[in-house]
Amino acid sequence: MPESPFSRRNMLFGAAGVSAAAFLTSCTSNDDSDDEGGSEQQQANVSDDKPGKPVTIGFAGPEADHGWLNAINDNARSRAEKYEDVTLDITEGSNDTATQIGQVDSLINKKVDVLVILPADGKAMTQAGLKAMRAGIPVVNLDRIFNSPQAYRCWIGGDNYGMGLNAGRFIGEQLKGKSNAKVVELAGLDNLELTQQRTKGFDDALKNYPNIEKVARQAAEFTVESGQRKMSDLLQAVPEFDAIWNHDDDQGVGVKRAIDQSGRDEFIMVGGAGSKAVMDSIKADDSVIKATVLYPPTMAASAIDLARALGQQKGVSGMAEFEIPASITLYSAVVSKDNIDQYLPTGFN
Amino acid sequence: MLSKSDSLSAPAPEKPQGNGNAADWHSRLDFRLLALVGVLGLLVAVGALTKPDQFLDVDNFRLILTQSSAIGVVTIGVTLVIIGGGIDLSVGAIVALASVWATTQATQDYGLTGMLFCAIAVGIGCGLVNGVLIAYGSLVPFIATLAMLASARGFAEQMSDGQTQIVEVDAVLDLGNADARILGIPYLVLIFLGVAALGWVLLNRTTFGRRTVAVGGNPEAARLAGIDIKRQRLLLYGLSGLCCGIAAFMLIVLAGSGQNTNGNLYELDAIAAAIIGGTLLSGGRGTITGSVLGVVVFTTITNLFALNNVQSDVQKIAKGAIIVAAVLIQHHTSRKSSTQ
């Protein structure tokens, strides 16, 4: 089902547009104080590293009970510390929607300048976003999207469909010459929409490779323990296959353990999200793990940038716009041995 | 497979309830357990019909038993607590805390024994805290262990900083490898069977076991008969904690890491397994054999579903239906057996 990320992708500025804008800004000064002349009158007032108007950013995230979410919090914190003019007001994360609504309420009452919200459940948190916007506090919606565009000023997040698509393409290219290739999929939590989107993207990509058949799919729970359990079952269920896509690198620790325990290595594995452990494996190239599809936790740092720009009423550098965009979908890059060095620093524990 | 005596209102020494030599064998055989064996047989038949190659495979049976082992050990502890008239909702969280504590870098430096000791110590510690709160602080078991569920999970998150603690001690990892077996049985399964055997002896062949049944069946009568109820309860929760510690170590071996999400929902799985194993939730009756079978039934279902590529939503629905079916069959057979 074409969900919001689709429409969002359509709204995205193209790469060409970005580079053109980057060229434009490179000719101009970012500082609004030194006006250089008529030709740059239209240039946006963009945010940069220089201290500006002080901004208090309220941050409400879910409970950081595993690697990726933990990395989200770390990224937000360290980015905020980078700016002298930013004060970050973080509430304790919760996976309970009612609790999280209460936390957003308390941030609204504190009258923070901008809110960054990563909802435990996007749809359920829509009302909280609306309330903040009505109170005059612009909301940066991080990752799990609200139901209504009225509930946020800007959305930034990952591309779950794109993750599946790129994982499928990578595997497809690897198995191109092989007839009757078999692929299996170890998904995350099936009751999360993001899991369905990742699977949809994966299936769509595989449609381009008629020689490949997906022979099995099981869902784990994003934990090491469930990854180990479900992978053991999958290995027993399918005596021989050529590739596996594991949706999540956190459960991937358990998945890799199950593979090691079985002693099998006739297939290649592609991970998801981009943990440090998986990136190390890709670099070492000593196991079945050959690639991982990014779902970068650095989006939290970008969300802080956007929130700061919002608070200072500036645009984003590298773009010609006066305002920050309404939505930004990140790219789910495939990290393999070829480009591992570039991405290794973004791996999370 | 000996059944526990059902007349447990007084802590009298156990007597077979059979009334004649010929009927003795019959009355000692627990029909609830037979029903469970029947369910297991049915599952095996389904597996043999749908996926003969993958299901009827020694490796697969090893897999099912290995995957039963950690939750199985937890279930033994929970079964004893429930028979003793209590409930332990904190087992999953204790498993998480014990596994995280045992895998912090500082603990890993002490190697296998250090990690094992740490996991068990944390488990017993948490269990005794539960026990003290319930026995001497007069907290309702539901509340005390609910509080432990929340706080132990919190401590585990704090201690691990939300990160997976990857184990780098080879001696520990080797225990979970495919060749870590004795007579073809993986170490983890042996630990499970060992704990189950100890639990069985404890419940059926010792004074401690008889006291447990008495305290769970009728605490007032047990008290009048001179049993130290408080001490008994304290020890039961301590035992449950010990089982959690052992299970935590088994998970570390299995998954090669410790995580604060370990043991997620183990409390519900363990209680469900004990119940379908014939343990009475109100206490006073239950068997270790039933609990072991209950766990194995659950794992076999999951295994069957995975082999047949059934999606997780269907799995959950079917699991619920099977719990109800198993308990209904037991009610039916136990009514029959009691009217014989």
Side-chain angles (χ1 to χ4, degrees):
Chain A
M1 65 235 134
E3 272 301 329
S4 29
F6 288 81
S7 50
R8 234 149 267 297
R9 195 177 312 104
N10 297 338
M11 288 155 67
L12 252 190
F13 43 89
V18 176
S19 46
F23 174 73
L24 235 175
T25 43
S26 68
C27 309
T28 68
S29 162
N30 286 337
D31 199 340
D32 51 333
S33 59
D34 60 337
D35 215 323
E36 282 184 22
S39 61
E40 278 108 20
Q41 286 282 337
Q42 289 300 307
Q43 178 51 40
N45 184 8
V46 299
S47 97
D48 53 32
D49 289 354
K50 289 173 199 147
K53 181 184 154 200
V55 180
T56 304
I57 301 172
F59 184 89
E63 196 172 346
D65 58 1
H66 77 295
W68 188 83
L69 287 170
N70 198 49
I72 282 282
N73 282 347
D74 287 349
N75 267 290
R77 269 203 198 89
S78 58
R79 193 66 160 200
E81 274 164 22
K82 207 188 94 175
Y83 298 118
E84 285 169 34
D85 49 11
V86 167
T87 313
L88 194 64
D89 200 338
I90 293 192
T91 62
E92 188 197 341
S94 172
N95 283 332
D96 176 53
T97 296
T99 312
Q100 212 182 12
I101 289 174
Q103 289 167 344
V104 171
D105 280 345
S106 74
L107 288 172
I108 295 175
N109 287 343
K110 280 187 187 171
K111 299 196 166 52
V112 294
D113 299 315
V114 190
L115 261 171
V116 176
I117 305 177
L118 199 173
D121 180 332
K123 282 180 187 157
M125 282 296 289
T126 305
Q127 288 304 320
L130 280 172
K131 192 171 171 190
M133 291 289 283
R134 285 192 192 119
I137 301 174
V139 173
V140 176
N141 180 196
L142 183 54
D143 197 40
R144 301 174 190 171
I145 194 164
F146 290 148
N147 235 1
S148 159
Q150 291 188 59
Y152 58 86
R153 163 62 183 82
C154 172
W155 176 83
I156 176 167
D159 184 3
N160 286 299
Y161 179 85
M163 258 182 107
L165 198 67
N166 290 346
R169 272 189 200 142
F170 179 84
I171 287 174
E173 289 304 312
Q174 302 295 311
L175 302 178
K176 218 170 184 176
K178 193 171 165 75
S179 56
N180 302 323
K182 288 180 190 159
V183 170
V184 298
E185 183 184 13
L186 189 64
L189 257 178
D190 254 346
N191 60 14
L192 294 182
E193 203 175 331
L194 65 92
T195 297
Q196 309 293 348
Q197 288 168 352
R198 287 179 193 186
T199 294
K200 176 86 167 59
F202 189 59
D203 290 345
D204 284 354
L206 290 183
K207 280 176 194 153
N208 300 320
Y209 304 92
N211 61 319
I212 299 178
E213 188 197 355
K214 187 165 97 177
V215 292
R217 175 188 184 277
Q218 285 290 302
E221 292 144 25
F222 285 137
T223 71
V224 175
E225 187 194 341
S226 63
Q228 196 276 344
R229 239 182 314 126
K230 293 292 185 174
M231 189 64 209
S232 302
D233 280 335
L234 265 182
L235 285 164
Q236 182 65 33
V238 191
E240 210 181 296
F241 55 91
D242 302 290
I244 173 165
W245 181 40
N246 168 48
H247 283 209
D248 180 67
D249 285 345
D250 274 312
Q251 66 187 23
V253 174
V255 172
K256 183 161 180 280
R257 179 94 178 112
I259 294 170
D260 289 345
Q261 282 161 338
S262 76
R264 283 178 45 187
D265 62 354
E266 83 274 7
F267 51 86
I268 60 164
M269 171 163 145
V270 175
S275 76
K276 175 98 173 37
V278 163
M279 290 206 193
D280 285 342
S281 293
I282 295 170
K283 189 171 167 73
D285 198 17
D286 57 355
S287 70
V288 293
I289 302 177
K290 298 301 176 201
T292 185
V293 196
L294 289 191
Y295 197 82
T298 46
M299 66 175 70
S302 302
I304 296 296
D305 287 344
L306 291 167
R308 176 172 172 263
L310 261 176
Q312 298 177 341
Q313 279 130 11
K314 290 177 179 173
V316 187
S317 85
M319 291 182 75
E321 312 306 323
F322 286 92
E323 300 273 2
I324 67 165
S327 85
I328 297 174
T329 309
L330 300 173
Y331 185 68
S332 304
V334 178
V335 177
S336 67
K337 203 166 186 298
D338 301 331
N339 57 6
I340 181 71
D341 289 325
Q342 182 190 344
Y343 289 103
L344 203 51
T346 68
F348 56 88
N349 277 310
Chain B
M1 282 189 215
L2 298 172
S3 76
K4 285 298 307 164
S5 161
D6 281 354
S7 54
L8 299 159
S9 49
E14 211 178 316
K15 281 264 190 282
Q17 63 199 84
N19 40 15
N21 286 339
D24 207 31
W25 184 85
H26 263 291
S27 64
R28 289 176 70 116
L29 195 75
D30 195 318
F31 282 85
R32 280 181 293 267
L33 288 187
L34 269 187
L36 210 50
V37 172
V39 171
L40 200 54
L42 201 70
L43 291 175
V44 171
V46 172
L49 285 173
T50 52
K51 289 275 168 184
D53 292 346
Q54 286 91 351
F55 187 81
L56 297 177
D57 179 45
V58 184
D59 279 336
N60 194 43
F61 290 129
R62 262 198 282 263
L63 177 66
I64 291 176
L65 288 176
T66 307
Q67 294 194 348
S68 305
S69 56
I71 178 71
V73 168
V74 170
T75 305
I76 303 295
V78 168
T79 304
L80 291 173
V81 167
I82 296 179
I83 294 175
I87 191 85
D88 193 343
L89 300 177
S90 63
V91 287
I94 296 179
V95 167
L97 181 57
S99 69
V100 165
W101 208 317
T103 50
T104 55
Q105 206 50 57
T107 324
Q108 281 193 37
D109 286 346
Y110 293 102
L112 189 151
T113 18
M115 293 170 73
L116 179 62
F117 174 80
C118 199
I120 287 178
V122 172
I124 294 178
C126 292
L128 288 180
V129 171
N130 277 337
V132 167
L133 289 176
I134 291 161
Y136 299 97
S138 298
L139 276 184
V140 183
F142 190 92
I143 300 299
T145 57
L146 190 64
M148 179 60 80
L149 177 156
S151 49
R153 193 69 75 185
F155 273 123
E157 277 178 31
Q158 196 174 52
M159 181 165 278
S160 65
D161 196 16
Q163 295 178 359
T164 305
Q165 309 287 316
I166 295 178
V167 175
E168 277 148 14
V169 181
D170 287 338
V172 173
L173 296 175
D174 287 346
L175 289 174
N177 287 343
D179 55 350
R181 298 176 192 153
I182 296 177
L183 299 173
I185 307 173
Y187 289 153
L188 293 179
V189 177
L190 288 172
I191 297 176
F192 172 34
L193 296 179
V195 171
L198 285 178
W200 187 89
V201 169
L202 196 62
L203 184 63
N204 297 288
R205 291 287 178 269
T206 65
T207 323
F208 181 88
R210 280 195 294 280
R211 285 179 180 159
T212 302
V213 175
V215 169
N218 188 338
E220 188 55 23
R223 195 182 61 80
L224 290 173
I227 295 176
D228 186 344
I229 300 182
K230 291 183 176 176
R231 185 170 152 273
Q232 190 70 21
R233 288 190 174 142
L234 174 69
L235 290 176
L236 281 173
Y237 285 98
L239 271 179
S240 177
L242 166 67
C243 287
C244 293
I246 298 172
F249 185 76
M250 294 163 87
L251 277 188
I252 293 169
V253 167
L254 206 56
S257 65
Q259 224 192 358
N260 57 34
T261 49
N262 275 355
N264 192 24
L265 295 183
Y266 267 29
E267 53 282 351
L268 295 184
D269 284 349
I271 293 169
I275 300 301
I276 77 164
T279 298
L280 208 61
L281 196 53
S282 51
R285 194 180 75 198
T287 66
I288 298 296
T289 322
S291 291
V292 170
L293 285 173
V295 170
V296 174
V297 163
F298 268 138
T299 321
T300 309
I301 294 168
T302 320
N303 177 264
L304 267 182
F305 284 148
L307 293 185
N308 287 293
N309 206 18
V310 177
Q311 297 303 308
S312 54
D313 44 358
V314 185
Q315 290 193 14
K316 285 176 192 151
I317 298 167
K319 216 169 172 178
I322 288 167
I323 293 178
V324 173
V327 174
L328 280 180
I329 294 171
Q330 281 170 5
H331 277 301
H332 192 63
T333 48
S334 69
R335 212 177 301 133
K336 246 198 228 161
S337 67
S338 59
T339 53
Q340 267 178 344

